[in-house]
Amino acid sequence: MAAAKTLVLVTGATSGIGFELAAQLLAKDTYHVLLGARSPEKGLAAVETLRARNLPGTVEMLHLDVTSDATIEAAAQYVQQTHGHLDILVNNAAVSAMTHPSLREQMRAAFDANATGPAVVTSIFGPLLQQSTAASRRIINVTSGAGSIERRLDPASLIYQVQQVQYRASKTALHMVSACQLVEYQPLGIRVFLYDPGFTQSNLGPHNTEANGARAVADSVSPLMAVLEGERDGEKEGILHNTGRYPW
Ligand SMILES: NC(=O)c1ccc[n+]([C@@H]2O[C@H](COP(=O)([O-])OP(=O)(O)OC[C@H]3O[C@@H](n4cnc5c(N)ncnc54)[C@H](OP(=O)(O)O)[C@@H]3O)[C@@H](O)[C@H]2O)c1
């Protein structure tokens, strides 16, 4: 009998890092990917694109807007009824929120998607993670070094001149969300990681281009795969990135 595939939910998998993570997971026959999408149309198109590649893994679209409790609850109910558990949760969805008209709107949008979203998604999917019997079960919160307070205050940081307070502060809040998850889930045998992919080509903002020095998305995602596959399980908790770790 074939071994059951590892069930992975990736939020915000219609573009950029989330989509590439789905693709790298599907390149193996050991994963079933729940491709999280706030827009079902985009989600179905992403699934179609991946299926057309004839990769050995399997994928299905999961309608999930991390700012909508109704879609998160409906998604968890579907996973409960269809799969009965979840092995790996990747909280990847986020927004830069740089184009909202006021600072209040920018802060509200960034915190809702980037910090409140992962907190609520994890809380609602937590029981499904607890029903997993996989040794690999884990929560990975995709973050940014831009949310490290110590790095913010370091004039040598490459992005010292970049303010983007809404994005930075929402990722700092995600770091505390992760610390709280660590205290809650580690004793249950569920590992919790923060991972920073680094400056990457994606739809996050207009600056995320090759011309501006952003890395190819495949290069940012292969080290994330290593975290997902347990290659960095021996490291102390904190903010991991491709070549090491950042201070909180
Ligand atoms: N790119 C970088 O340089 C960089 C650096 C450090 C960290 N990161 C982090 O990497 C992660 C992925 O970002 P990315 O660069 O791949 O950006 P991206 O191409 O804009 O992808 C973001 C994804 O999140 C989805 N999303 C946004 N709001 C959502 C919501 N409310 N509910 C569900 N999904 C939502 C987007 O869906 P739509 O397609 O519908 O918009 C999209 O699929 C983020 O956590 C980001 O902070 C990126």
Side-chain angles (χ1 to χ4, degrees):
M1 201 176 77
K5 289 185 195 294
T6 302
L7 188 61
V8 186
L9 166 56
V10 183
T11 67
T14 50
S15 118
I17 288 156
F19 179 81
E20 175 62 22
L21 178 60
Q24 292 196 16
L25 288 165
L26 290 183
K28 304 190 168 192
D29 66 1
T30 45
Y31 293 105
H32 180 77
V33 176
L34 297 164
L35 185 147
R38 65 172 159 178
S39 151
E41 292 73 28
K42 275 195 192 177
L44 290 171
V47 165
E48 207 174 301
T49 303
L50 290 168
R51 285 189 181 146
R53 295 183 188 175
N54 290 317
L55 298 165
T58 50
V59 59
E60 66 185 301
M61 197 273 290
L62 192 65
H63 178 212
L64 198 163
D65 179 335
V66 303
T67 65
S68 153
D69 288 358
T71 70
I72 302 168
E73 275 159 12
Q77 207 171 2
Y78 169 80
V79 175
Q80 177 68 60
Q81 282 163 2
T82 314
H83 301 282
H85 73 283
L86 177 69
D87 297 317
I88 298 178
L89 169 62
V90 184
N91 286 307
N92 165 74
V95 291
S96 64
M98 59 190 356
T99 55
H100 289 265
S102 67
L103 179 58
R104 182 168 298 281
E105 277 303 300
Q106 290 173 6
M107 296 290 281
R108 188 200 55 73
F111 271 73
D112 200 3
N114 304 355
T116 310
V120 174
V121 170
T122 304
S123 147
I124 292 176
F125 277 86
L128 283 157
L129 286 165
Q130 290 182 55
Q131 284 162 44
S132 163
T133 53
S136 58
R137 60 199 184 141
R138 64 198 53 222
I139 298 159
I140 303 176
N141 294 323
V142 180
T143 187
S144 167
S148 158
I149 292 175
E150 201 172 318
R151 279 174 58 82
R152 179 70 199 102
L153 297 174
D154 179 3
S157 158
L158 286 176
I159 54 167
Y160 188 70
Q161 299 304 335
V162 178
Q163 193 67 306
Q164 295 297 329
V165 64
Q166 79 288 348
Y167 183 72
R168 286 182 179 278
S170 69
K171 290 296 191 183
T172 312
L174 174 63
H175 298 167
M176 179 53 84
V177 166
S178 304
C180 291
Q181 290 170 347
L182 223 130
V183 170
E184 181 177 357
Y185 289 102
Q186 298 269 57
L188 305 175
I190 300 168
R191 291 188 171 85
V192 179
F193 295 91
L194 277 159
Y195 183 75
D196 168 26
F199 188 38
T200 305
Q201 295 165 36
S202 77
N203 293 324
L204 193 63
H207 51 286
N208 288 86
T209 61
E210 187 177 8
N212 283 333
R215 256 206 316 265
V217 70
D219 295 339
S220 292
V221 169
S222 43
L224 171 57
M225 278 291 287
V227 174
L228 188 146
E229 297 204 298
E231 289 174 31
R232 298 182 69 177
D233 280 7
E235 291 186 35
K236 195 172 161 299
E237 53 280 336
I239 308 169
L240 306 183
H241 65 88
N242 57 335
T243 55
R245 51 200 305 114
Y246 286 140
W248 293 92

